[in-house]
Amino acid sequence: MTFLPATAGAGPEALWRRFCGLLWHDPALGFWLDLSRMALDPERLEALRPRFAGAFEAMAALEAGAIANPDEGRQVGHYWLRSPELAPDAAAGDHIRAEVDRIEAFGRDVQAGVIAPAPGKRFTDVLWIGIGGSGLGPVLMVRALQDPGSGLPFHFFDNVDPDGMRRTLAALGQRLQTTLVVVVSKSGGTPEPHIGMLQAKRALEAHGGSWASQAVAVTMLGSRLDQEAEAGGWLARFDMFDWVGGRTSVTSAVGLLPGVLIGADIRAFLAGAGAMDAATRVAELEANPAALLAAAWYAAGEGQGRRDMVVLPYRDRLEVFSRYLQQLVMESLGKKHDRDGQVVHQGLAVYGNKGSTDQHAYVQQLRDGVDNFFVTFIEVLEDPGDIPPLEGENPGDFLDGFLQGTRAALTEEGRQNLTITLQRLDAHSLGALIALFERAVGIYGELVNVNAYHQPGVEAGKKAAAALLELQVRLEERLADDREHTLAGLQADLELESPEPLYWILRHLCANRRHISARGDWGNPESLVFLHH
């Protein structure tokens, strides 16, 4: 691989030579990685080589079963899901293989009508209840891989928004009698899927459905949810291994179960991820696409995340890929402290749209505005065969032209960009694409010395939310005396440092007519008086 000067001021011939020198291609995978428009140069790469040597060793140790999340004493084993022979013990490998077999058989039997909600009926829909990676991964699988008329239609509870739940349940209507409900919660105690489960169960039974005959749990064996599903005689239970984090769970039951239910080839999906794992396991920077990707990120953001990653996939099927990457990248790399306890405030912000929508959305700023980003184009070469050219115009040609045009326009202004090209978009290539970013995130974490496999910020948010919900219970108990209360009085009664959380809680309770009224001016909080009815 030949490194040439950066793109600033380079002419067409120099850019072509740089493109040829910085192009990675794997014909078996059907992948190209073009880093020629990124700020990579020999000096940067040489300076990073010692860090890459350490990163390759760390990734090898991770795959061998090292404790990667010391906060929870957990291994990180998503790589074993697609290569069970790499699991640190034979029993774990056998368990992985058995789960894949069970998932595949379950999906086949559901679609064949062998597994049914009631005698004489077939499942018509799937309601998937999961938060974070337990929702994003399945949404990506369905949007990217489901063909028209294949498998079951999917509906999602991936939030606790009551309006979203209402709309989803209304759309299903009487089909709730024949809807397969999948509840995903690794620990079994996460509040969002539990709340969604309660709402789904109420609605399903109100429409004459049978919860036990229609409910499936994806969780850790022995969890609260697993125990509830076993005691309730649910239709099926699938394991979500202790050593699989939510943001890397798509090659577990979290992604494989929706895959089989939409008729996708989950064996090809796993094989694609495994093939990219092999390509990114190579301990040689120039030959490892994930290492090259991490090097480009590092160079673009000067090792401090000073540029955002703008993800522009030029296929509708990959529209949600930027959302998927937001969790994978930002939850993994967004850390206050490094491994040595130093305050570093690391991270890499991700946002995106789809081509060619981006042509008419924010490319104007990308080309002419603040230079605080780099673009990741994702291109798919093969077009579907059933959309013919009409009036001499081929949609795929225009799509490709828009991608190349945007890339050229950005390069002309010296704006950094890289391109990932897939020969085709199918289960195999989607698995490989996901695995490429998973490994790049792990390597980049090593380069900047942060732990990519814990999430103290997420846990802090959960604890704060739990504390506020507990405060609401105490507040409602205090208001139950049917006397008038001011915010200052409630603050004193509840021994709080500030009345602000009470204002937020009470504003919501009053807006929803929860037996509490307010007198005064909401724009002047200290004037408010509250009364329970």
Side-chain angles (χ1 to χ4, degrees), residues 15 178 267 380 473:
L15 289 174
T178 53
R267 300 284 179 173
V380 179
V473 172

Side-chain angles (χ1 to χ4, degrees), residues 468-482:
L468 285 166
L469 290 169
E470 188 272 335
L471 174 60
Q472 179 174 325
V473 172
R474 292 170 55 208
L475 172 61
E476 292 189 74
E477 290 174 350
R478 184 69 189 88
L479 289 168
D481 61 6
D482 295 332

Side-chain angles (χ1 to χ4, degrees), residues 372-500:
N372 63 346
F373 67 92
F374 64 92
V375 168
T376 299
F377 292 106
I378 302 177
E379 176 187 29
V380 179
L381 295 180
E382 293 186 7
D383 299 329
D386 52 356
I387 299 295
L390 297 176
E391 298 182 1
E393 295 182 344
N394 191 317
D397 294 348
F398 275 82
L399 191 66
D400 185 62
F402 283 131
L403 185 153
Q404 292 187 49
T406 304
R407 176 176 176 270
L410 294 178
T411 300
E412 184 180 356
E413 287 296 313
R415 302 305 170 92
Q416 295 189 54
N417 62 88
L418 64 92
T419 304
I420 297 169
T421 300
L422 286 61
Q423 180 71 33
R424 65 184 62 86
L425 178 56
D426 55 18
H428 190 275
S429 62
L430 181 67
L433 183 65
I434 290 169
L436 172 64
F437 278 91
E438 285 178 347
R439 184 83 64 165
V441 164
I443 292 174
Y444 184 89
E446 297 300 327
L447 295 182
V448 299
N449 194 33
V450 299
N451 189 334
Y453 305 105
H454 72 156
Q455 48 282 333
V458 174
E459 299 306 318
K462 291 179 180 179
K463 290 177 182 177
L468 285 166
L469 290 169
E470 188 272 335
L471 174 60
Q472 179 174 325
V473 172
R474 292 170 55 208
L475 172 61
E476 292 189 74
E477 290 174 350
R478 184 69 189 88
L479 289 168
D481 61 6
D482 295 332
R483 294 173 49 207
E484 291 189 337
H485 295 270
T486 65
L487 285 173
L490 289 168
Q491 176 192 359
D493 291 345
L494 296 172
E495 300 180 339
L496 300 177
E497 295 180 351
S498 166
E500 185 170 342

Side-chain angles (χ1 to χ4, degrees), residues 90 113 120 146 240 315 334 458 461 493:
Q146 187 166 29
M240 191 173 176
R315 289 288 170 171
V458 174
D493 291 345

Side-chain angles (χ1 to χ4, degrees), residues 76-194:
V76 171
H78 52 278
Y79 297 110
W80 310 334
L81 295 169
R82 46 263 197 165
S83 298
E85 68 278 5
L86 296 179
D89 62 84
D94 291 342
H95 190 178
I96 294 166
R97 294 184 189 92
E99 283 298 291
V100 175
D101 289 342
R102 289 182 60 231
I103 291 166
E104 197 169 48
F106 180 83
R108 182 181 61 242
D109 288 347
V110 166
Q111 293 197 67
V114 175
I115 296 176
K121 295 184 177 180
R122 297 171 72 106
F123 282 110
T124 59
D125 298 83
V126 178
L127 174 57
W128 190 275
I129 303 173
I131 196 76
S134 298
L136 287 166
V139 169
L140 176 61
M141 292 291 288
V142 172
R143 299 284 178 83
L145 298 181
Q146 187 166 29
D147 288 323
S150 176
L152 298 177
F154 263 68
H155 314 264
F156 291 91
F157 277 4
D158 56 2
N159 197 1
V160 286
D161 177 8
D163 189 54
M165 292 179 177
R166 177 180 66 88
R167 288 169 177 263
T168 300
L169 295 172
L172 284 166
Q174 200 58 35
R175 295 201 315 280
L176 281 164
Q177 284 189 1
T178 53
T179 294
L180 183 71
V181 183
V182 183
V183 184
V184 189
S185 175
K186 180 177 176 179
S187 68
T190 306
E192 293 97 330
H194 180 72

